Amino acid sequence: MQTLHVELGERSYPIYIGAGLLTDPELLARHIGGRQVAVVTNETVAPLYLETLMRSLEGFKVASIVLPDGEVFKSWETLQLIFDGLLTARHDRRTTIIALGGGVIGDMAGFAAACYQRGVDFIQVPTTLLSQVDSSVGGKTGINHPLGKNMIGAFYQPKAVLIDTASLRTLPERELSAGLAEVIKYGLICDEPFLAWLEENMPALRALDGAALTYAIERSCAAKARVVGADERESGVRATLNLGHTFGHAIETEQGYGVWLHGEAVAAGTVMALEMSHRLGWLSAPERDRGVRLLQAAGLPVVPPRDMTPERFLEHMAVDKKVLDGQMRLVLLKHLGEAVVTADYPREILDATLRSDYVALTQSSNS
Ligand SMILES: NC(=O)c1ccc[n+]([C@@H]2O[C@H](COP(=O)([O-])OP(=O)(O)OC[C@H]3O[C@@H](n4cnc5c(N)ncnc54)[C@H](O)[C@@H]3O)[C@@H](O)[C@H]2O)c1
Ligand SMILES: [Zn+2]
């Protein structure tokens, strides 16, 4: 087992990474203050891992709250089901909420923990690659609004993150690729040497090689922990974690939640950020193409939806949280491994980026 730490003063917490951690009662008990526990999960994950987790929680008074599965259910209505479950089982302020599932469950259960009786403890047990390398770490919690993704939420840190890499064995291939988009993101924004490692090990990762997965998760979580430790509430460097996300959120919103997976939309959005960084003269064509090829090798889409016009992009991007004082801030790359957040770019370059021929671009990056 590997242990990393998110350093946030009295809100610091460990991230445990290893195969089979779900079956370790002691690891969980260490971070549970009272006698009551509520496990929040969904209809897909419950049959796979709920029983195993329950066995590790023997001795506690455990309620399980099983939600419908899907990004469309990351909503106010579903959040209410969590509160219904907690109140029906009479959970008090000393209860601990455990989020068992992907990022949708983690974000919602975390937000419920932030709100329930003005805040109760919670533990993240992420079961998708995306949630293991990204959403479970850093304390961003929340739900979607029909007018924008993740628009309602809170910063609320977990007491611990427990990553059982064995849970990835049941993950659909498409979901694994979606998680790889965020893994690649860390290389692009702050860890250039990691890109070479990923180029070498992409086949091993996609074949679920245990050692490769553990290494990639560890290195990703270390990057995330570093950034969050330096800027918990996203007043600066943390915003670089949104590489590809402003474009990507526009794709997700346009298509309707859940049609493109978050990681897929981020991948296509990252290609757009690479292209814009190239158009600004920051990335060379070979550097841009290297990023595109890596995303492709991870099995990810690298072309935004054909029917999505620049106008539709701009409309959605304008409601994105990254807009401050009317200036659209974007995460772009000065170099591979060095991101900047800036609203200071010629508007024509953004427009040209939105009009780019990505089909041609990805074909040329392969030649
Ligand atoms: N809080 C943050 O910092 C942050 C960061 C990135 C993404 N997010 C959010 O995370 C969400 C995406 O998370 P996700 O990609 O994990 O999606 P998800 O939670 O929808 O999970 C993907 C699918 O895999 C299923 N699943 C989960 N674990 C499984 C397993 N071990 N085996 C088989 N199936 C399994 C789920 O039930 C679901 O159908 C988005 O809502 C996004 O906004 C949050
Ligand atoms: Zn993301």
Side-chain angles (χ1 to χ4, degrees):
M1 183 179 82
Q2 305 289 328
T3 307
L4 302 171
H5 292 275
V6 183
E7 302 291 352
L8 289 169
E10 58 183 21
R11 277 170 291 108
S12 298
Y13 53 94
I15 305 169
Y16 306 110
I17 307 165
L21 299 190
L22 262 180
T23 58
D24 185 343
E26 195 279 324
L27 212 50
L28 283 160
R30 237 187 254 179
H31 300 282
I32 299 174
R35 303 306 312 154
Q36 292 178 315
V37 175
V39 178
V40 177
T41 185
N42 72 25
E43 285 163 347
T44 305
V45 178
L48 296 169
Y49 302 109
L50 184 56
E51 205 185 305
T52 310
L53 181 62
M54 291 298 226
R55 268 200 298 273
S56 296
L57 290 169
E58 262 170 36
F60 292 98
K61 190 167 167 279
V62 189
S64 53
I65 301 171
V66 181
L67 304 174
D69 182 10
E71 183 78 35
V72 283
F73 296 107
K74 192 173 155 183
S75 65
W76 198 255
E77 291 75 19
T78 315
L79 185 68
Q80 185 73 0
L81 297 177
I82 303 179
F83 298 134
D84 292 348
L86 289 165
L87 287 165
T88 307
R90 299 179 189 284
H91 280 248
D92 62 27
R93 284 170 49 201
R94 305 236 317 137
T95 191
T96 297
I97 295 181
I98 300 183
L100 173 70
V104 169
I105 287 295
D107 281 13
M108 259 194 307
F111 188 41
C115 300
Y116 188 66
Q117 309 219 3
R118 301 189 183 82
V120 297
D121 288 353
F122 98 106
I123 298 174
Q124 289 272 21
V125 182
T127 60
T128 63
L129 180 60
L130 185 137
S131 57
Q132 295 181 348
V133 298
D134 194 351
S135 60
S136 65
V137 174
K140 277 196 189 178
T141 71
I143 55 173
N144 299 326
H145 186 279
L147 295 179
K149 237 184 97 65
N150 297 325
M151 282 290 145
I152 317 294
F155 284 100
Y156 196 68
Q157 301 293 343
K159 291 290 164 200
V161 182
L162 201 144
I163 299 174
D164 187 341
T165 54
S167 66
L168 297 177
R169 283 192 210 121
T170 53
L171 194 67
E173 198 178 351
R174 198 177 152 199
E175 297 287 351
L176 188 84
S177 290
L180 289 170
E182 308 277 9
V183 172
I184 293 168
K185 172 184 85 179
Y186 295 112
L188 292 172
I189 62 170
C190 64
D191 190 357
E192 201 266 339
F194 188 32
L195 292 174
W197 185 92
L198 285 169
E199 283 161 343
E200 183 115 333
N201 290 280
M202 195 51 79
L205 289 170
R206 294 188 69 189
L208 297 179
D209 177 274
L213 280 172
T214 303
Y215 182 78
I217 293 167
E218 210 189 305
R219 194 143 167 177
S220 300
C221 285
K224 177 113 190 213
R226 235 179 6 252
V227 171
V228 169
D231 175 24
E232 184 184 12
R233 297 183 75 95
E234 199 168 312
S235 49
V237 66
R238 183 164 181 172
T240 62
L241 295 172
N242 293 318
L243 178 71
H245 282 59
T246 302
F247 297 112
H249 284 164
I251 296 172
E252 284 183 278
T253 312
E254 172 78 9
Q255 303 295 306
Y257 297 137
V259 178
W260 280 53
L261 300 180
H262 174 75
E264 292 172 342
V266 166
T270 299
V271 173
M272 298 174 82
L274 288 165
E275 170 65 4
M276 183 155 166
S277 306
H278 169 61
R279 286 177 181 269
L280 285 163
W282 297 345
L283 289 188
S284 67
E287 284 176 314
R288 173 199 63 194
D289 294 349
R290 191 178 166 204
V292 175
R293 272 197 308 274
L294 191 51
L295 291 161
Q296 266 178 319
L300 287 158
V302 288
V303 175
R306 299 291 172 82
D307 51 358
M308 204 168 155
T309 60
E311 291 70 33
R312 297 300 290 161
F313 264 105
L314 289 171
E315 208 169 293
H316 292 303
M317 287 165 78
V319 284
D320 197 89
K321 322 186 265 311
K322 262 63 75 183
V323 178
L324 282 187
D325 310 325
Q327 296 256 65
M328 185 133 54
R329 296 197 307 155
L330 292 170
V331 186
L332 299 166
L333 296 178
K334 281 276 176 187
H335 303 283
L336 292 181
E338 188 192 336
V340 287
V341 185
T342 181
D344 186 17
Y345 48 79
R347 180 53 198 263
E348 315 83 79
I349 301 237
L350 173 59
D351 292 337
T353 301
L354 296 174
R355 283 195 312 270
S356 297
D357 182 350
Y358 287 95
V359 176
L361 191 159
T362 51
Q363 279 160 358
S364 75
S365 83
N366 278 328
S367 56

Coordinates of all heavy atoms in Angstrom, one line a residue, residues 42 93 100 106 116 167 184 188 218 231 242 271 286 305 335:
N42 N -24.3 3.5 -5.8 CA -25.4 3.5 -6.8 C -25.7 2.1 -7.3 O -25.1 1.1 -6.8 CB -25.0 4.4 -8.1 CG -23.9 3.8 -8.9 OD1 -23.7 2.6 -9.0 ND2 -23.3 4.7 -9.6
R93 N -25.0 14.0 14.1 CA -23.9 14.8 13.6 C -22.6 14.1 13.7 O -21.6 14.5 13.1 CB -23.7 16.1 14.5 CG -24.8 17.2 14.1 CD -24.8 18.3 15.1 NE -23.4 18.8 15.3 CZ -23.1 19.5 16.4 NH1 -24.0 19.8 17.3 NH2 -21.8 19.9 16.5
L100 N -19.0 5.5 -2.1 CA -18.5 4.3 -2.8 C -19.0 4.4 -4.2 O -20.2 4.1 -4.5 CB -19.1 3.0 -2.1 CG -18.7 1.7 -2.8 CD1 -17.3 1.3 -2.7 CD2 -19.6 0.5 -2.2
G106 N -19.1 10.5 -5.6 CA -18.2 11.2 -4.7 C -18.6 12.7 -4.5 O -18.6 13.2 -3.4
Y116 N -25.2 18.2 5.5 CA -26.0 17.5 6.5 C -25.7 17.9 7.9 O -24.5 17.8 8.3 CB -25.9 15.9 6.4 CG -26.8 15.2 7.3 CD1 -28.2 15.2 7.0 CD2 -26.4 14.4 8.3 CE1 -29.1 14.5 7.8 CE2 -27.3 13.7 9.2 CZ -28.6 13.8 8.9 OH -29.5 13.1 9.7
S167 N -10.7 -2.5 -7.8 CA -12.0 -2.2 -8.2 C -12.1 -1.8 -9.7 O -13.1 -1.9 -10.4 CB -12.7 -1.1 -7.4 OG -12.0 0.1 -7.5
I184 N -3.5 12.0 -18.2 CA -2.6 12.7 -19.2 C -2.6 14.2 -18.9 O -1.6 14.8 -19.0 CB -3.2 12.4 -20.6 CG1 -3.0 10.9 -21.0 CG2 -2.6 13.3 -21.6 CD1 -3.8 10.5 -22.2
L188 N 0.5 16.9 -18.9 CA 0.5 18.1 -19.7 C 0.7 19.4 -18.9 O 1.4 20.3 -19.3 CB -0.8 18.2 -20.5 CG -1.0 17.1 -21.6 CD1 -2.4 17.2 -22.2 CD2 0.1 17.3 -22.7
E218 N -0.8 6.9 -8.4 CA 0.1 7.6 -7.4 C 0.6 8.9 -7.9 O 0.6 9.9 -7.2 CB 1.2 6.6 -7.1 CG 1.8 6.7 -5.7 CD 3.0 5.8 -5.7 OE1 3.0 4.7 -6.0 OE2 4.1 6.4 -5.3
D231 N -3.2 25.6 -3.2 CA -4.3 26.5 -3.6 C -5.6 25.8 -3.5 O -6.3 25.4 -4.4 CB -4.1 27.0 -5.0 CG -5.2 27.8 -5.6 OD1 -5.9 28.4 -4.7 OD2 -5.4 27.9 -6.8
N242 N -8.0 22.5 -14.7 CA -9.1 22.6 -15.6 C -8.7 22.6 -17.1 O -9.5 23.0 -17.9 CB -10.0 23.8 -15.3 CG -10.6 23.7 -14.0 OD1 -11.1 22.6 -13.6 ND2 -10.6 24.8 -13.2
V271 N -7.6 18.8 -26.7 CA -7.0 18.9 -28.0 C -7.2 20.4 -28.5 O -6.4 21.0 -29.0 CB -7.7 18.0 -29.0 CG1 -7.2 18.3 -30.4 CG2 -7.3 16.5 -28.6
P286 N 4.8 19.8 -33.4 CA 5.1 18.4 -32.9 C 4.7 18.3 -31.4 O 4.3 17.2 -31.0 CB 6.7 18.3 -33.0 CG 7.0 19.3 -34.1 CD 6.0 20.4 -34.0
P305 N -17.6 17.4 -31.2 CA -18.8 16.9 -32.0 C -18.9 17.8 -33.3 O -18.8 19.0 -33.2 CB -20.0 17.2 -31.1 CG -19.4 17.4 -29.7 CD -18.0 17.8 -29.9
H335 N 4.3 25.4 -22.4 CA 5.1 24.3 -22.9 C 4.4 23.0 -22.5 O 3.5 23.1 -21.6 CB 6.5 24.3 -22.3 CG 7.3 25.6 -22.5 ND1 7.9 25.8 -23.7 CD2 7.5 26.6 -21.7 CE1 8.5 27.0 -23.6 NE2 8.2 27.5 -22.4

